[in-house]
Structure formats: structure tokens, C-alpha cells
């Protein structure tokens, strides 16, 4: 490459970099990429949490249905049917 070509390309690069619109666009694209990456990670984490909750729910319900746990044990677990347990509690206190 000749020195003239290098000087012209350097001058063009400096001229482009001096324009505030280009700098703003570069910053905006970088921020957009970071936000997109963050959202992808969060979505992945939420998906894992939902799958984990569903697995715990199914296991807890299977234990209850098979008779391995009592209603009281089922209702004290972290994952349980709130409506069902509330109804059981109100029936329990009626007697």
C-alpha cells in the first residue's frame, strides 16, 4: 500500500469518528447488544425456575396422591395448592 492510501484512509476514519452521530450510533448499538444479552440470560434463568417449580410441584402432588404424605405434610411443603390447603384449614377449624 502506498502512503497516500494510508493517509487518506486515516483521514476518513478520523473524519467519521469526529461526527457525534456515529459515536452515538456505536454507543446505542453496544447498549442494545448488552440489553439483548442480559434479556437472553434472564429468560434462560426464568425458564429454569419454571421447570424446577413444575418438577417440585409434580413430585409433591404425586406423593400426596399416592398416600406417601398426609394433607398436613403436603400443605407445609414449599410447593402446594394454596386453595386446597386453605379449604382444608377452614374445614379443620370448623370442628
Amino acid at each position: 500500500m502506498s502512503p497516500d492510501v494510508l493517509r487518506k484512509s486515516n483521514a476518513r476514519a478520523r473524519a467519521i469518528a469526529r461526527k457525534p452521530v456515529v459515536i452515538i450510533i456505536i454507543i446505542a448499538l453496544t447498549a442494545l447488544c448488552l440489553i439483548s444479552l442480559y434479556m437472553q440470560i434472564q429468560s434462560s434463568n426464568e425458564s429454569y425456575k419454571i421447570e424446577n417449580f413444575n418438577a417440585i410441584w409434580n413430585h409433591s402432588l404425586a406423593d400426596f396422591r399416592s398416600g406417601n404424605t398426609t394433607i398436613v405434610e403436603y400443605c407445609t411443603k414449599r410447593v402446594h395448592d394454596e386453595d386446597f390447603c386453605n379449604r382444608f384449614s377452614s374445614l379443620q377449624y370448623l370442628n
Side-chain angles (χ1 to χ4, degrees), residues 49-61:
K49 287 178 186 176
I50 291 170
E51 287 176 13
N52 191 30
F53 178 84
N54 287 340
I56 292 171
W57 176 275
N58 289 334
H59 186 269
S60 175
L61 200 55

Side-chain angles (χ1 to χ4, degrees), residues 9-22:
S9 62
N10 284 341
R12 285 186 200 139
R14 279 192 297 263
I16 289 173
R18 286 183 189 150
K19 296 181 181 179
V21 174
V22 174

Side-chain angles (χ1 to χ4, degrees), residues 29-71:
L29 287 175
T30 304
L32 187 63
C33 288
L34 290 174
I35 290 170
S36 175
L37 183 63
Y38 175 77
M39 289 175 63
Q40 182 66 30
I41 291 170
Q42 286 300 102
S43 173
S44 157
N45 286 345
E46 287 301 315
S47 174
Y48 171 75
K49 287 178 186 176
I50 291 170
E51 287 176 13
N52 191 30
F53 178 84
N54 287 340
I56 292 171
W57 176 275
N58 289 334
H59 186 269
S60 175
L61 200 55
D63 283 347
F64 179 61
R65 286 181 178 164
S66 68
N68 292 337
T69 59
T70 64
I71 294 176

Side-chain angles (χ1 to χ4, degrees), residues 69-95:
T69 59
T70 64
I71 294 176
V72 176
E73 290 172 340
Y74 173 74
C75 289
T76 57
K77 287 187 178 181
R78 186 170 61 106
V79 178
H80 60 273
D81 186 354
E82 283 287 325
D83 187 42
F84 174 77
C85 290
N86 289 339
R87 288 181 186 183
F88 173 72
S89 295
S90 34
L91 285 174
Q92 201 174 22
Y93 292 117
L94 284 176
N95 292 333

